[in-house]
């Protein structure tokens, strides 16, 4: 049981970064970024090459992943999503564009990185004993990095001027514009920040389970599960959804054979959404 709890904490902390990134983009632009998992995958490959292949410190590789994926997010928002969100009369247009960017990134990754699963050396050596459970030092470092970034993001959104502008934009885009806020600049910043968080999450996950060019869709699916559980566009809900999914995976992988874990997770999700479609912390639609 102790080992399940330890594994659940490790997964939950990392998944929270995934969920927060996609929640940030959704709340600002009312857009489900279907390419979120593919951006996360690119972050994993950046760490693989910078840290695993070129041998630079992990402390260098992780910021590189954040910068590269942040720039990808910024470019997508400025060159693609900004125009579609501004002029589109139907949400399906933005959704199809997001799906298109996901397919583009996945196929570019297959062309550039190949299909082979890649892993990286452990960040640090050693194993800690937590009761009857064992916690590798590298996984503990992943948890600490993830928690530090979550706190930093919450403080940024709560107390900085751009963060407050993002919160206002999430509540009412038109009123925020009338108040003199540069909506386009804040949208680009929010998209870049969300993508950068995805890149960091990918850089953390590659140390746990490796990375390949085809994991993007599965990771995007996990991100959607988390925000549906917690409530779309709710930061606290994203964290709660990450905890629920992380512990569900930890319990399932320890006690249930094969792929049955996600079958049960999807069945549970369907039943949950029937009873509470707005998520745990979301507000019901009127």
């Amino acid at each position: 049981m102790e080992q399940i709890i330890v594994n659940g904490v490790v997964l939950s902390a990392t998944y929270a970064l995934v969920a927060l990134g996609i929640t940030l983009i959704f709340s600002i632009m009312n857009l489900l970024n279907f390419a979120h998992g593919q951006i996360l995958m690119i972050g994993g490959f950046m760490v693989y090459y910078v840290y695993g292949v070129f041998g630079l410190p992990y402390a260098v590789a992780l910021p590189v992943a954040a910068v590269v994926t942040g720039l990808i997010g910024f470019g997508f928002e400025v060159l693609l999503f900004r125009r579609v969100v501004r002029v589109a009369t139907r949400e399906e247009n933005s959704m199809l564009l997001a799906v298109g960017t996901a397919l583009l990134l996945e196929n570019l990754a297959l062309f550039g990185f190949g299909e082979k699963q890649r892993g990286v050396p452990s960040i640090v050596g050693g194993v800690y004993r937590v009761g009857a459970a064992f916690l590798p030092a590298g996984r503990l470092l992943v948890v600490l990095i993830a928690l530090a970034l979550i706190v930093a993001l919450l403080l940024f959104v709560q107390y900085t001027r751009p963060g407050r502008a993002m919160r206002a934009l999430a509540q009412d885009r038109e009123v925020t514009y009338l108040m003199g806020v540069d909506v386009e600049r804040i949208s680009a910043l929010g998209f870049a920040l969300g993508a950068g968080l995805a890149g960091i999450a990918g850089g953390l996950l590659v140390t746990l389970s490796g990375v390949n060019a085809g994991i993007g869709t599965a990771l995007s699916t996990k991100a959607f599960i988390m925000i549906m559980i917690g409530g779309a566009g709710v930061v606290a809900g994203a964290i709660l959804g990450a905890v629920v999914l992380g512990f569900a995976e930890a319990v399932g992988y320890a006690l249930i054979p094969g792929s049955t874990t996600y079958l049960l997770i999807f069945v549970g999700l369907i039943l949950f959404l029937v009873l509470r479609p707005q998520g745990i912390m979301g507000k019901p639609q009127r």
Side-chain angles (χ1 to χ4, degrees), residues 245-268:
L245 181 62
F247 275 90
E249 279 195 11
V251 172
Y253 292 152
L255 304 178
I256 303 173
S259 60
T260 310
T261 294
Y262 258 89
L263 173 62
L264 295 178
I265 287 175
F266 277 116
V267 170

Side-chain angles (χ1 to χ4, degrees), residues 60-80:
V60 173
L62 202 59
V64 168
V67 171
V68 170
T69 53
L71 289 174
I72 290 173
F74 179 84
F76 277 174
E77 198 283 332
V78 171
L79 300 176
L80 300 175

Side-chain angles (χ1 to χ4, degrees), residues 23 26 224-238 240-241 269-286:
T23 296
F26 177 79
F224 298 147
I225 290 173
M226 288 182 275
I227 63 173
M228 285 189 290
I229 291 172
V234 182
V235 171
L240 180 58
L269 178 65
I270 291 170
L271 294 175
F272 170 77
L273 291 177
V274 169
L275 298 174
R276 192 173 177 83
Q278 73 271 25
I280 296 174
M281 304 191 72
K283 296 181 180 179
Q285 297 292 326
R286 295 181 179 179

Side-chain angles (χ1 to χ4, degrees), residues 36-51 58 61-70 72 113 120 195-206 211 215 219:
H36 200 73
Q38 282 73 17
I39 293 174
L40 192 149
M41 171 264 295
I42 290 174
F45 272 112
M46 291 299 102
V47 168
Y48 165 74
Y49 280 105
V50 175
Y51 172 62
Y58 187 75
L62 202 59
V64 168
V67 171
V68 170
T69 53
I72 290 173
F113 303 132
V120 299
L197 287 173
I200 292 174
L204 296 176
L205 284 173
V206 72
V211 64
I215 65 171
L219 292 171

